[in-house]
Amino acid sequence: MTLATDAASAAPGTRPGRRSVAPLLVAALVTLALVVASLFVGVYDLRADGGAAMFLITRVPRTLALVLAGSAMAVSGLVLQQLTQNRFVEPTTSGTSEWAALGLLLSVILLPGAGIATRMVLASLSAFAGTMVFLAVLRRVQVRSTLVVPVVGIMLGAVVSSLTTLIAISTNYLQLLGTWFMGSFTSVVRGQYEVLWVVAAVCVAIFVLADRLTVAGLGRDVATGLGLRYDRLILVGTALVAVASGVTTVVVGFLPFLGLVVPNVVSLLRGDDLRSNLPWVCLGGVALVTACDIAGRTVRMPFEVPVAMILGLVGAAAFVALVLRVRRRG
Amino acid sequence: MPTRQSHHRLAAVLTAVPLALVLAACGGTADAGTDAEGAETAAAATTVTIEDNHGSVEVPVDPERVVALDNHVFETLSAWDVPLVAAPKGIMGDGLWPGYTEDDAVLDVGTHREPNLESIVAAEPDLVIGGYRFSDSYDDIVAQNPDAVVIELHPRDGEEQSAELVRQVEALGQIFDREDEAARVVADYEQAIADATEAYDGESTVVGLITSGGEISYSAPVTGRSIGTLFPTLGLRPAIEQAAEDTSHGDDISVEAIAAANPDWIIVLDRDGAGVGEGEYRPAAELIGGSEALAGVTAVAQDQVIYLDPDFYLTEDIQAYTALYEQVAQAFTDAA
């Protein structure tokens, strides 16, 4: 629990909610700069003939998708971390994304004619069921040290994704799995991303629930003692995360580490108040995924490197750095 | 691109080591083969010595019990009415070669991802034509079937694809005593190439694409599987001058990069077209012809998009290439 205690003591006695807004403004400006840069990075010369049309067909949708998916996955990580009281949990370490993938594959096999909305609903339902299974298993686990919790999640995720692979092999979909679930914004164009707006609603709902989620992060007994309807909050929180993961998985694929690195960095820097951290986590998620996508678009022009690959690299490095930094201080 | 590059480098090292071992082993077997040949000239009437991917091999002529695993050979064997005792039905599609896939007497070797090598042993083959997707199983097949001759004839990496296809069908002609038929297949193939080369104006730029899972990726000239070989063979001008890395599944490319390159022609392999992924299948015609961003590209605007036969992904044989070159020649001629 070094991470948690360190983060809590990082801001002793301060009330983060009342802090000056100046740093947040700077963070917002930096994120905005990245978002604007994303609009102007690409192979097509916008000054050329048809540049304006191309801007609207590919650049704007892609950038909006980055903003929506980035904030949703980062915030989902934060919510899961509160619900499980563990800093290492996020949709890809709780099995949530793997369940969403299973739901998506099943929807494709069982309902071939279904539209993207049906797919999203099924992926989200499956993600919800999977996350509930994870939480139920956690309740029965006696040793709940920092590392056991994500290990349980990763194990469940591995079981589910091997089932997904088995189904894919027997139905000849294996080749497609990689394409579907590799997080990439390359194919995001007008008419392809609009369903992502659903996750904007998820973000708003999480902002509304922020205080209650913070209390839930203190544990079942404390939360219930403070008058919180704990079980219902767990359901609602899980449902929100499931929708965010389900929709993002269907549209862009897995975005590893996003929900892990961003909330942890924010907590390290600012302490643990969820409500005042939320805007930071949102901005951080957007900034990180946008920066990674811009890098993915530029390193091998005119080809692209999927954002998931860059996120994996950057995320893993950032996370190791975080852990080492905490240990040095401790 | 540090991850993929290092990944590839690692892969190169990992493959280089066993490759060196195999090559060394091959040197040994080749020598042994020549010795054996000298000793057993009497048997020469019923066997023929061919060069497979590992060196010289003595193969019985017109063997009775044949197992074929390489997708490149099914079309030829099927046309010659060569019966098989086992085949990888999982990767042979539906209805392409019903004589093999729908005959229960032909044992199923499964797919290259989950091969059932025991079925090969059970089939008691005289000859196993392995290779291509099953290359990784080569050593196991050789070890498990001591009484069978195991050969690999698929196009080798680093060799000119076109010559490799010819080499393959000529070797099959020798083995099954159908050298005239093999020569005809080769002649058709060369004629199709000559026609397509003739029809190409030498100026138009071309981009090769692969579609799968609703995504478009880039098939590189020369190295890119199937479409890539068209570039050197026909002397096509690529619209995007950049070496790609994922040569079998294509590189991630955005529609705007294709639009920016503004090719005169687009040649597309629809990888999901061959009956895989029926539900989620988004046809290449929809992905490319229906793309807003590509509407202004010369190739799309002037209807100069060549879609490969959807079964191409499963066949990739010399006959499929012949048909493709005929298709290309026709399209070029019509546009001129």
Side-chain angles (χ1 to χ4, degrees):
Chain A
M1 292 302 278
T2 42
L3 259 180
T5 46
D6 185 79
S9 63
T14 53
R15 302 184 60 183
R18 299 279 164 83
R19 277 185 184 176
S20 136
V21 290
L24 187 62
L25 208 64
V26 173
L29 283 175
V30 170
T31 309
L32 188 69
L34 279 168
V35 167
V36 172
S38 157
L39 286 171
F40 293 97
V41 172
V43 180
Y44 204 88
D45 183 2
L46 293 178
R47 288 160 302 181
D49 211 24
M54 199 58 74
F55 187 73
L56 292 175
I57 293 170
T58 68
R59 301 287 173 80
V60 173
R62 182 171 191 151
T63 306
L64 284 173
L66 286 167
V67 169
L68 291 168
S71 50
M73 292 316 281
V75 167
S76 293
L78 182 60
V79 171
L80 272 182
Q81 283 158 27
Q82 294 289 326
L83 294 183
T84 57
Q85 293 176 270
N86 186 293
R87 294 197 169 275
F88 292 88
V89 174
E90 61 122 16
T92 55
T93 58
S94 63
T96 308
S97 296
E98 283 81 0
W99 280 88
L102 176 64
L104 174 58
L105 181 69
L106 287 179
S107 83
V108 167
I109 292 168
L110 301 176
L111 302 167
I116 195 161
T118 321
R119 297 260 153 81
M120 273 167 29
V121 170
L122 286 171
S124 301
L125 281 177
S126 169
F128 179 75
T131 315
M132 291 313 286
V133 169
F134 170 62
L135 293 175
V137 170
L138 271 194
R139 281 193 189 179
R140 279 163 185 75
V141 172
Q142 295 300 317
V143 192
R144 293 187 56 172
S145 72
T146 320
L147 288 175
V148 166
V149 175
V151 163
V152 168
I154 290 169
M155 255 164 46
L156 286 173
V159 171
V160 172
S161 72
S162 45
L163 180 65
T164 308
T165 309
L166 178 69
I167 296 174
I169 286 180
S170 50
T171 51
N172 249 331
Y173 274 96
L174 191 62
Q175 198 83 267
L176 290 186
L177 277 194
T179 321
W180 282 348
F181 301 135
M182 170 61 86
S184 164
F185 290 85
T186 309
S187 61
V188 173
V189 290
R190 191 158 72 192
Q192 288 279 305
Y193 82 101
E194 284 77 357
V195 289
L196 269 181
W197 283 106
V198 172
V199 303
V202 171
C203 287
V204 171
I206 290 172
F207 266 93
V208 172
L209 291 175
D211 285 335
R212 270 167 274 186
L213 287 166
T214 309
V215 177
L218 298 172
R220 186 195 191 89
D221 296 339
V222 179
T224 313
L226 287 169
L228 190 76
R229 295 171 74 175
Y230 185 80
D231 288 317
R232 202 179 64 172
L233 189 76
I234 292 272
L235 277 182
V236 173
T238 307
L240 290 173
V241 170
V243 170
S245 318
V247 173
T248 315
T249 304
V250 171
V251 181
V252 285
F254 292 168
L255 296 175
F257 282 114
L258 196 58
L260 197 69
V261 168
V262 174
N264 275 303
V265 171
V266 171
S267 282
L268 271 181
L269 298 176
R270 296 180 39 85
D272 264 341
D273 179 56
L274 189 125
R275 175 177 283 284
S276 75
N277 279 359
L278 259 181
W280 284 90
V281 172
C282 266
L283 288 175
V286 173
L288 181 58
V289 81
T290 308
C292 289
D293 190 57
I294 290 176
R297 267 183 273 176
T298 42
V299 286
R300 283 191 62 223
M301 272 207 192
F303 305 120
E304 303 201 359
V305 181
V307 73
M309 218 180 264
I310 312 234
L311 260 182
L313 206 72
V314 173
F319 196 70
V320 170
L322 271 176
V323 172
L324 290 179
R325 184 170 157 241
V326 169
R327 291 188 71 188
R328 243 203 329 273
R329 276 225 225 129
Chain B
M1 255 311 301
T3 32
R4 238 201 245 178
Q5 229 151 31
S6 58
H7 173 78
H8 276 245
R9 220 167 280 151
L10 181 65
V13 173
L14 287 179
T15 41
V17 174
L19 192 68
L21 292 175
V22 168
L23 286 177
C26 285
T29 38
D31 291 345
T34 20
D35 290 347
E37 230 174 312
E40 294 181 50
T41 0
T46 52
T47 64
V48 59
T49 306
I50 61 146
E51 289 287 323
D52 90 333
N53 294 1
H54 301 271
S56 294
V57 198
E58 203 168 332
V59 184
V61 172
D62 225 346
E64 256 176 53
R65 304 184 64 82
V66 182
V67 171
L69 305 175
D70 180 351
N71 274 46
H72 294 99
V73 305
F74 297 130
E75 186 63 37
T76 304
L77 299 186
S78 166
W80 295 348
D81 293 321
V82 173
L84 295 182
V85 288
K89 295 182 181 180
I91 54 167
M92 292 169 70
D94 286 330
L96 275 180
W97 304 287
Y100 299 141
T101 50
E102 280 162 36
D103 184 349
D104 289 337
V106 181
L107 300 181
D108 189 359
V109 189
T111 71
H112 52 302
R113 293 185 194 284
E114 228 178 336
N116 176 11
L117 298 183
E118 284 175 28
S119 64
I120 301 177
V121 180
E124 298 175 358
D126 302 318
L127 173 71
V128 178
I129 306 171
Y132 198 38
R133 294 189 173 104
F134 283 86
S135 302
D136 290 344
S137 303
Y138 177 77
D139 292 334
D140 289 334
I141 296 171
V142 170
Q144 292 167 6
N145 300 277
D147 296 334
V149 177
V150 183
I151 57 171
E152 291 197 317
L153 293 171
H154 61 273
R156 292 165 291 191
D157 283 344
E159 300 288 330
E160 200 210 337
Q161 161 101 4
S162 199
E164 290 288 286
L165 289 171
V166 170
R167 174 186 73 102
Q168 183 175 45
V169 75
E170 284 177 347
L172 291 176
Q174 282 180 286
I175 296 169
F176 294 98
D177 198 16
R178 301 268 192 157
E179 293 187 53
D180 295 346
E181 281 95 332
R184 253 199 309 281
V185 170
V186 172
D188 287 348
Y189 174 70
E190 281 166 354
Q191 184 61 46
I193 291 178
D195 291 348
T197 314
E198 173 87 3
Y200 180 55
D201 60 13
E203 288 295 313
S204 303
T205 54
V206 185
V207 156
L209 300 175
I210 301 171
T211 64
S212 178
E215 313 252 345
I216 301 173
S217 45
Y218 174 75
S219 175
V222 188
T223 50
R225 179 147 129 202
S226 61
I227 300 173
T229 57
L230 265 68
F231 287 83
T233 312
L234 302 182
L236 303 179
R237 274 186 59 196
I240 298 175
E241 297 274 6
Q242 164 104 17
E245 281 181 3
D246 189 340
T247 52
S248 60
H249 301 113
D251 282 86
D252 229 12
I253 193 167
S254 60
V255 280
E256 66 173 74
I258 303 167
N262 193 21
D264 297 313
W265 288 87
I266 292 177
I267 304 178
V268 192
L269 169 64
D270 190 344
R271 217 183 56 198
D272 306 345
V276 263
E278 283 165 41
E280 183 61 17
Y281 177 47
R282 291 188 62 204
E286 179 193 317
L287 281 172
I288 290 161
S291 164
E292 265 189 298
L294 295 180
V297 172
T298 311
V300 177
Q302 299 188 5
D303 213 7
Q304 302 193 134
V305 185
I306 298 172
Y307 298 99
L308 268 64
D309 183 327
D311 291 327
F312 198 95
Y313 175 61
L314 295 179
T315 54
E316 295 182 78
D317 45 40
I318 189 167
Q319 293 87 346
Y321 277 97
T322 306
L324 173 58
Y325 285 120
E326 284 168 356
Q327 189 187 353
V328 169
Q330 189 66 48
F332 283 163
T333 313
D334 290 349

